[in-house]
Amino acid sequence: MDSKKVGVVGAGTIGRGVAQAVAEKGMDVVLVDTSAEQLHGAISQIAADLRTQPLLTGVRRVGPDADVLGRITCETDVAKLADVDFVVENVTENWDIKSGLYQELDRICAPEVVFAVNTSAIPITRLAAVTGRPDRLVGMHFMNPVPLMRMVEVIRGHHTSDETMAVATGLLTRLAKEPVVVDDLPGFVTNRVLMLTINEAVFCVQDSVASALNVDRIFKGCFGHKMGPLETADLIGLDTILNSITVMYDSFNDSKYRPAPLLRRMVDAGLLGRKTGQGFYDYRIDGNGDKS
């Protein structure tokens, strides 16, 4: 099935990135969020990203930015997804929210439509079980920033069909992404490793082993990482980090996934990283994070 119209649910950082990436490749997008304000902010950010992207990549886009933006329709009603060919879901890592949404999508969308779950840790098979199309669900874990990151972790659930895998990987190829297929266990590969690293880095700050700045300096200087784990946490969002590692803690019943108390306290305080202006670094002055 050749997807011509893609539904994107959730207009946060990843959702708007997916919408931009799809629209840039000439497909129509229906971007859905419960908040009109969030949708307005997403379109404004996409417009800004389209202006700056050629400076970061050195590649100039064919055609004006207005053409890309014109292919994105914003809606607050999920029923507007009734005529899409493919859905990418990007809502928060919360079982009740996700499972309720998939039951609603199952009623609204045509039976042949594939649902791509953009999740950090919730099992694809578990979500598929709340729908009448378990063979049409697949995990599609995009990395931030979506338009610039080529690799996508694709998770095959227990019932995911070969046809669904072909549709999903075909869409990613059209988006100039490289799919890497993994099995369906909480956290998959990326977050099973990354969230543990970030959580342990938070423990290092909490236990006064090192400052956030020095933790990140060590990872960049010793291992050649472009970003340290706490800079990465601020980029992802500390609430997302906490939700993801909590899912793994509950799923594996293993104490190694116990969230650091400092992480919980920062989330409770609203210090979520770049999106709130403060996390392990302060982004309120120039947006780059005060690392003095």
Side-chain angles (χ1 to χ4, degrees):
M1 183 180 71
D2 184 18
S3 301
K4 298 181 177 64
K5 190 172 187 179
V6 176
V8 178
V9 184
T13 301
I14 297 296
R16 70 171 181 253
V18 173
Q20 176 185 331
V22 172
E24 284 189 274
K25 295 303 180 182
M27 289 171 274
D28 291 329
V29 179
V30 181
L31 180 59
V32 177
D33 198 284
T34 56
S35 167
E37 182 180 3
Q38 180 79 7
L39 288 165
H40 178 75
I43 293 299
S44 297
Q45 188 60 54
I46 291 171
D49 291 344
L50 288 171
R51 290 193 297 270
T52 59
Q53 193 167 297
L55 301 176
L56 298 174
T57 63
V59 178
R60 299 197 68 83
R61 187 180 308 100
V62 177
D65 294 350
D67 287 353
V68 176
L69 294 170
R71 286 191 281 271
I72 303 174
T73 302
C74 293
E75 302 286 355
T76 56
D77 184 359
V78 72
K80 299 296 184 180
L81 297 174
D83 63 343
V84 301
D85 305 309
F86 194 100
V87 173
V88 182
E89 172 271 313
N90 314 272
V91 303
T92 187
E93 293 286 286
N94 178 289
W95 169 255
D96 291 335
I97 293 173
K98 278 189 182 288
S99 61
L101 172 63
Y102 277 96
Q103 292 174 64
E104 191 171 6
L105 289 172
D106 199 36
R107 292 191 296 268
I108 292 167
C109 297
E112 68 274 11
V113 173
V114 169
F115 297 158
V117 186
N118 192 10
T119 178
S120 299
I122 295 176
I124 307 307
T125 302
R126 186 182 180 199
L127 278 169
V130 305
T131 76
R133 64 184 82 194
D135 60 317
R136 309 296 285 177
L137 261 73
V138 62
M140 196 175 279
H141 186 203
F142 288 91
M143 308 298 158
N144 185 32
V146 176
L148 303 182
M149 300 295 281
R150 285 186 51 82
M151 192 164 286
V152 177
E153 192 176 35
V154 178
I155 305 96
R156 183 169 195 156
H158 182 79
H159 297 290
T160 307
S161 68
D162 290 342
E163 180 186 4
T164 294
M165 294 299 295
V167 171
T169 56
L171 176 62
L172 290 173
T173 300
R174 189 172 173 185
L175 296 179
K177 306 296 185 188
E178 180 182 349
V180 178
V181 179
V182 302
D183 204 359
D184 184 23
L185 278 173
F188 320 120
V189 173
T190 50
N191 282 313
R192 189 168 177 177
V193 176
L194 177 61
M195 297 303 164
L196 273 177
T197 302
I198 290 174
N199 194 50
E200 199 60 35
V202 178
F203 270 115
C204 286
V205 175
Q206 175 185 294
D207 296 343
S208 300
V209 177
S211 66
L213 174 62
N214 283 338
V215 169
D216 286 339
R217 285 179 61 201
I218 288 169
F219 272 79
K220 291 187 287 187
C222 294
F223 305 125
H225 292 191
K226 292 182 179 179
M227 296 179 70
L230 300 176
E231 291 173 304
T232 302
D234 276 357
L235 178 64
I236 294 172
L238 301 193
D239 52 341
T240 299
I241 302 294
L242 178 58
N243 286 339
S244 298
I245 200 162
T246 299
V247 168
M248 287 187 282
Y249 182 48
D250 293 340
S251 299
F252 291 113
N253 196 27
D254 190 329
S255 61
K256 72 181 179 182
Y257 296 106
R258 179 177 66 91
L262 175 59
L263 177 62
R264 288 191 182 277
R265 187 164 72 245
M266 291 180 71
V267 171
D268 288 343
L271 305 177
L272 308 183
R274 287 180 177 268
K275 61 186 173 184
T276 59
Q278 283 183 283
F280 286 98
Y281 300 99
D282 192 334
Y283 303 89
R284 293 173 297 177
I285 299 173
D286 60 5
N288 294 317
D290 181 8
K291 300 180 176 63
S292 58

